[in-house]
Amino acid sequence: MIHGSYKGIKKSNNNSDDEMNTATLSEQQQYPDNEKACQTELSMCQINDLEFCVRTMTSELADLKEKMVQVDFTEDSFQNNVDKIKFYTGLPNFLILMKVFLLCSPHIFSCSLNKLSKFQEFICVLIRLRLNIPFQDLAYRFDVSRSTVSRIFDKWIDVLNKRLGFLLNWPNRDELREAMPLAFQNSFGNRVAVVLDCFEIFVNRPSGLFPRALTWSNYKHHNTVKLLIGITPQGVVSFISRAWVGRTSDKYLTENCGILRNLLPGDIVLADRGFDISDSVGVYQATLKIPAFTKGQSQLKPWDVEETRKIANVRIHVERVIGLVRRKYVILQSTLPVEFLTVKKGEFLAPIDKITRVCCALTNLSPSVIPFN
């Protein structure tokens, strides 16, 4: 009796399985593998809203990525943005920016542990020179520590000084005469070799009394360092001296910085009244032209007035170049720490010397402020 019931149950189960298989086969025929049916509690309107939300968020994400590229300091953010290049680096265009970077980057050591790329480090240093932004500010901008920014600056400024030194070149006489601007030709022919002037950079007051006295400038009424700059008639910086203490006279600095050794017989040197170096220039058979002194007279003689006018008309260009360098790289307008005046062990130049050389070299990559005609 029990055995017969079991057979009936088994037969019933087999019939149920056949019905399920038939239903499954029918569903597979109705919905192919790539069009499986699914159950959801969402209405078609809600699904459309979700799809619209996904499209909107995808578009916003793409816009944000594009904006991140623009605010980030990468090659892509500078490539098509000349205004950004000029503002952050002082260089005229992306081509020159990359030429300088490619010239210097092979001499910079970098590893996979560095958070910033070489290009970002390069831009960080140029921003420091261009805008004089504090190290802590740069650390926040680039998301690194202040000590890291300081090390990056020291490393790059040393390489920039060595690799860009060729831009501070004393041209030969033939090159000068071929491109002599008309303003100089009309007044002095084609014999002008260099226009000299000095400028001073503020430094913090040293703690010691003796260094404090040496760096005090009666002209600026501040602790300063003084540098001699020489420009060609074409407006190119051809010489920049090392930094001397602020109380150094223009005459002493010029006679001891080495610039006079570049003179050739017959050259003309233009300078201001403070450069009473005619004897030193004469040693190299060159001629010094400075504005005339009254020498106790009530007024200058007519020919002295005319000569002074000629000198003043062309000597003003050196002041324009100095102004360009200091406007382009604001670090030279700031008050620098005393540590920048100290030559580190094993090096020949102090940080202030490297900074001024790099700023002048980068300025030479920009168009001249002196017109040819």
Side-chain angles (χ1 to χ4, degrees):
M1 187 71 180
I2 298 175
H3 182 68
S5 301
Y6 173 74
K7 287 183 177 180
I9 295 172
K10 185 175 181 181
K11 184 177 182 180
S12 176
N13 289 340
N14 289 336
N15 293 335
S16 298
D17 291 341
D18 292 340
E19 293 175 357
M20 291 178 62
N21 292 335
T22 302
T24 303
L25 180 60
S26 176
E27 183 179 349
Q28 291 178 349
Q29 292 175 350
Q30 184 178 0
Y31 302 102
D33 291 340
N34 59 347
E35 295 182 3
K36 294 290 186 180
C38 62
Q39 294 183 352
T40 177
E41 296 179 355
L42 298 176
S43 65
M44 185 58 66
C45 182
Q46 290 173 323
I47 293 175
N48 292 334
D49 290 342
L50 288 175
E51 291 178 349
F52 176 77
C53 183
V54 170
R55 289 195 299 269
T56 302
M57 294 180 67
T58 303
S59 177
E60 290 179 353
L61 180 61
D63 292 340
L64 288 174
K65 286 183 177 180
E66 184 177 353
K67 291 180 180 179
M68 283 296 295
V69 170
Q70 295 300 322
V71 301
D72 200 7
F73 297 102
T74 60
E75 291 94 329
D76 293 338
S77 66
F78 284 91
Q79 187 167 6
N80 297 315
N81 197 333
V82 176
D83 292 336
K84 185 175 183 179
I85 294 172
K86 291 180 179 180
F87 179 79
Y88 281 116
T89 71
L91 297 175
N93 53 57
F94 182 73
L95 177 62
I96 293 179
L97 175 68
M98 291 306 298
K99 288 293 185 182
V100 175
F101 171 68
L102 295 175
L103 179 66
C104 300
S105 59
H107 301 271
I108 296 294
F109 173 77
S110 181
C111 64
S112 59
L113 298 178
N114 291 11
K115 185 170 184 179
L116 301 181
S117 65
K118 285 186 178 182
F119 185 82
Q120 289 175 318
E121 292 183 355
F122 174 59
I123 293 298
C124 179
V125 174
L126 292 185
I127 292 175
R128 169 68 170 168
L129 297 175
R130 175 79 172 95
L131 304 175
N132 192 36
I133 294 178
F135 284 151
Q136 188 62 61
D137 190 328
L138 291 172
Y140 289 140
R141 289 171 185 252
F142 289 87
D143 194 23
V144 293
S145 66
R146 185 188 183 280
S147 58
T148 299
V149 175
S150 179
R151 288 195 299 269
I152 289 173
F153 183 81
D154 292 341
K155 174 177 64 176
W156 272 91
I157 204 68
D158 184 57
V159 173
L160 286 169
N161 173 57
K162 293 177 181 178
R163 300 297 295 168
L164 300 181
F166 72 95
L167 294 174
L168 301 174
N169 179 49
W170 191 280
N172 61 51
R173 176 174 286 177
D174 293 336
E175 293 173 343
L176 284 174
R177 292 181 175 179
E178 287 177 2
M180 186 69 64
L182 293 180
F184 287 84
Q185 292 186 33
N186 295 334
S187 299
F188 304 100
N190 58 1
R191 295 172 53 199
V192 177
V194 67
V195 185
L196 301 180
D197 204 355
C198 287
F199 69 95
E200 299 182 58
I201 302 174
F202 286 4
V203 296
N204 290 329
R205 190 174 69 168
S207 57
L209 294 178
F210 186 62
R212 192 183 304 172
L214 288 178
T215 56
W216 179 256
S217 170
N218 291 324
Y219 178 65
K220 295 291 185 179
H221 301 288
H222 199 281
N223 296 97
T224 66
V225 292
K226 180 180 289 189
L227 300 99
L228 175 74
I229 187 172
I231 71 163
T232 66
Q234 294 78 11
V236 178
V237 179
S238 58
F239 183 88
I240 183 71
S241 72
R242 298 177 62 181
W244 293 61
V245 291
R247 68 178 301 174
T248 306
S249 67
D250 296 345
K251 177 181 179 179
Y252 183 85
L253 174 53
T254 306
E255 292 176 341
N256 292 274
C257 69
I259 189 174
L260 299 182
R261 291 195 293 267
N262 296 309
L263 298 178
L264 297 176
D267 283 345
I268 291 179
V269 178
L270 302 181
D272 201 6
R273 286 189 177 91
F275 292 83
D276 187 15
I277 54 173
S278 56
D279 293 340
S280 301
V281 172
V283 171
Y284 297 91
Q285 301 179 27
T287 304
L288 175 69
K289 297 286 187 179
I290 61 174
F293 293 92
T294 56
K295 297 180 180 179
Q297 302 175 3
S298 58
Q299 60 182 8
L300 294 175
K301 297 177 180 179
W303 53 85
D304 287 335
V305 173
E306 180 63 19
E307 184 73 8
T308 299
R309 185 188 62 81
K310 291 180 180 179
I311 296 172
N313 285 341
V314 295
R315 206 197 68 81
I316 193 174
H317 293 309
V318 71
E319 298 177 0
R320 295 177 62 194
V321 173
I322 293 174
L324 176 65
V325 174
R326 303 188 73 169
R327 288 193 309 272
K328 191 176 285 290
Y329 297 100
V330 182
I331 192 171
L332 300 181
Q333 297 184 30
S334 63
T335 302
L336 299 179
V338 179
E339 292 76 16
F340 278 20
L341 310 182
T342 305
V343 179
K344 297 181 180 179
K345 185 177 181 180
E347 296 186 0
F348 178 71
L349 296 175
I352 181 63
D353 299 322
K354 298 177 184 178
I355 290 172
T356 52
R357 284 176 57 84
V358 170
C359 292
C360 290
L362 293 174
T363 302
N364 281 347
L365 295 174
S366 299
S368 174
V369 296
I370 301 178
F372 178 75
N373 54 1

